[in-house]
Amino acid sequence: LEATDANGDFRGSENTIQVQAAPTIELTAIPATATPGSKIRIEWTVKGGANVSKTFLRWGRSSKNYFNMGSFQNGAPARFSYELNTAAYAAGDLFVVAEAEVDGKKVVSAERKLELAYEPEIKDISFPNSVFGGDKVKVKWSLDHVNKLTHTNVHWGATAGTYDQFGDKITSKSFW
């Protein structure tokens, strides 16, 4: 700031105003999917301001409805992390936000969705122990943890470990 008189001569003192960017928070590392029962590391970054009096994760089963909260952390604006144990949750979506109080102001990250899904598993495979050349063979199997089946393949071969033949694009859920 400066003040001048009628002749344009400087008559005032100079003051400096420090402008700080508004604090922000961003989820920087969160997987898109995880297996129920696993532990996953979620990271977020707090920028701006001088003091983070508390920061934590919040999550829940529906968007904008976060019933759960991770442990509080604090310090200077920086990168923070939390290990979320998904043992209490079945397959489905979790919605996650990071929250912080920076210089007395609450900031909340954009919401991210984490899908909890079991890995598909092939089980209960049955087939004859031996066959004659030219015989048709019925192979049965079942799948666990499959929501949408696009196709499955059956591979076989004459030598163990060499599967050079296969049946492709079997799309029925009754695999007979």
Side-chain angles (χ1 to χ4, degrees):
L1 299 174
E2 73 179 51
T4 57
D5 62 16
N7 296 327
D9 295 330
F10 179 72
R11 297 282 182 218
S13 63
E14 190 174 300
N15 294 317
T16 303
I17 299 173
Q18 184 178 4
V19 178
Q20 293 183 349
T24 61
I25 188 168
E26 178 184 7
L27 287 166
T28 55
I30 180 171
T33 61
T35 304
S38 63
K39 291 182 180 181
I40 56 169
R41 182 180 174 91
I42 299 175
E43 296 179 359
W44 66 99
T45 302
V46 179
K47 294 181 181 176
N51 181 45
V52 178
S53 56
K54 63 182 173 184
T55 186
F56 50 91
L57 286 183
R58 296 183 66 123
W59 64 92
R61 282 301 205 168
S62 59
S63 181
K64 311 287 187 241
N65 198 3
Y66 318 111
F67 286 109
N68 302 288
M69 184 183 318
S71 58
F72 290 123
Q73 301 176 43
N74 59 36
R79 181 176 217 124
F80 297 90
S81 67
Y82 181 75
E83 189 172 272
L84 175 60
N85 186 345
T86 64
Y89 302 99
D93 295 332
L94 284 180
F95 296 87
V96 180
V97 295
E99 191 171 308
E101 187 173 301
V102 183
D103 299 337
K105 295 178 182 160
K106 178 180 172 180
V107 290
V108 180
S109 73
E111 178 182 87
R112 299 273 297 272
K113 182 173 79 168
L114 167 65
E115 179 187 2
L116 295 178
Y118 293 100
E119 293 291 324
E121 179 183 352
I122 299 173
K123 62 182 218 171
D124 302 325
I125 300 172
S126 66
F127 51 87
N129 289 333
S130 62
V131 294
F132 294 103
D135 284 354
K136 290 186 177 185
V137 177
K138 186 181 277 191
V139 177
K140 297 180 191 179
W141 69 92
S142 64
L143 299 171
D144 243 357
H145 312 300
V146 176
N147 294 327
K148 181 180 177 186
L149 180 66
T150 57
H151 78 275
T152 185
N153 295 330
V154 176
H155 295 256
W156 67 90
T159 307
T162 304
Y163 309 108
D164 54 356
Q165 305 290 317
F166 66 93
D168 192 19
K169 306 239 186 229
I170 301 168
T171 56
S172 171
K173 280 206 171 187
S174 52
F175 309 107
W176 322 83

